[in-house]
């Protein structure tokens, strides 16, 4: 059993099905797609709600066996979910926010992302700054929940 290569996939949690997206990645390696989907669905069934996109790093071996690691959902997905948005803007505008999230939401996303294999050594503050940068690039502004109420009151007084 010698290592062939790593394959990175993005698969919805708990609902993986053998299909073209998975087949094109695993087919050339000779890996049984149905077996991968079955194992992946068992592992991710209780991790996140069904349909949450998860990163998967699969190690393929020459005897057609495999091992895989499940990673956390993409930061952009978590930000959209925290902001209550269905999808981000087609052209984000930094002057006009398309959504808002609280610092608490940023902290929760950073804690979740810090558990990933390649981020365990990074300080939480650094991961949180990365989340804020991703949010800014998506047109989502980080602000306290009380700020929106105060701004609305100021506009009404004018």
């Amino acid at each position: 059993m010698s290592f062939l290569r790593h394959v990175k996939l993005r698969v919805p949690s708990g609902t993986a099905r053998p299909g073209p997206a998975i087949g094109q990645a695993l087919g050339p390696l000779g890996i049984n797609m149905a077996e991968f989907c079955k194992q992946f669905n068992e592992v991710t069934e209780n991790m996140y709600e069904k349909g949450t996109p998860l990163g998967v790093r699969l190690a393929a071996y020459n005897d057609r066996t495999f091992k895989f690691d499940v990673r956390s959902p993409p930061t952009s997905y978590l930000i959209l979910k925290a902001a209550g948005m269905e999808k981000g803007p087609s052209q984000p505008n930094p002057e006009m926010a398309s959504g808002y999230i609280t610092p608490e939401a940023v902290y929760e996303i950073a804690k979740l992302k810090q558990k990933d294999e390649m981020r365990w050594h990074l300080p939480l503050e650094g991961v949180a700054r990365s989340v804020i940068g991703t949010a800014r690039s998506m047109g989502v502004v980080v602000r306290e929940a009380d700020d929106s109420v105060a701004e609305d009151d100021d506009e009404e007084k004018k």
Side-chain angles (χ1 to χ4, degrees):
M1 174 170 92
S2 66
F3 174 76
L4 274 178
R5 71 176 179 192
H6 283 288
V7 177
K8 290 182 180 180
L9 302 166
R10 179 146 307 148
V11 186
S13 66
T15 58
R17 286 174 275 144
I22 294 174
Q24 290 177 356
L26 302 184
L29 301 172
I31 294 175
N32 184 344
M33 291 181 287
E35 182 62 27
F36 166 75
C37 291
K38 179 181 165 194
Q39 288 182 24
F40 177 81
N41 288 338
E42 286 174 5
V43 169
T44 62
E45 190 172 29
N46 297 322
M47 286 176 104
Y48 300 98
E49 64 184 59
K50 286 192 176 211
T52 302
L54 298 174
V56 178
R57 185 169 184 231
L58 183 132
Y61 300 98
N62 67 349
D63 61 351
R64 296 182 181 213
T65 58
F66 61 90
K67 292 182 183 176
F68 64 91
D69 297 321
V70 179
R71 304 201 171 165
S72 62
T75 305
S76 57
Y77 174 82
L78 296 170
I79 290 169
L80 288 175
K81 191 171 174 186
M85 299 167 59
E86 191 120 338
K87 76 178 220 183
S90 58
Q91 296 197 344
N93 184 353
E95 281 120 32
M96 196 170 117
S98 58
Y100 301 96
I101 59 173
T102 63
E104 291 80 16
V106 170
Y107 174 74
E108 292 301 319
I109 292 170
K111 277 190 357 186
L112 182 70
K113 296 302 283 184
Q114 192 180 32
K115 293 177 187 173
D116 274 354
E117 181 181 321
M118 300 303 289
R119 292 189 183 98
W120 63 268
H121 65 286
L122 297 173
L124 188 61
E125 181 182 346
V127 179
R129 286 178 190 234
S130 173
V131 171
I132 291 169
T134 303
R136 188 177 302 133
S137 72
M138 295 170 57
V140 176
V141 176
V142 178
R143 70 174 185 190
E144 291 290 336
D146 298 332
D147 288 352
S148 63
V149 174
E151 286 177 13
D152 291 341
D153 290 344
D154 289 343
E155 288 177 12
E156 288 174 9
K157 289 178 185 176
K158 290 180 183 178

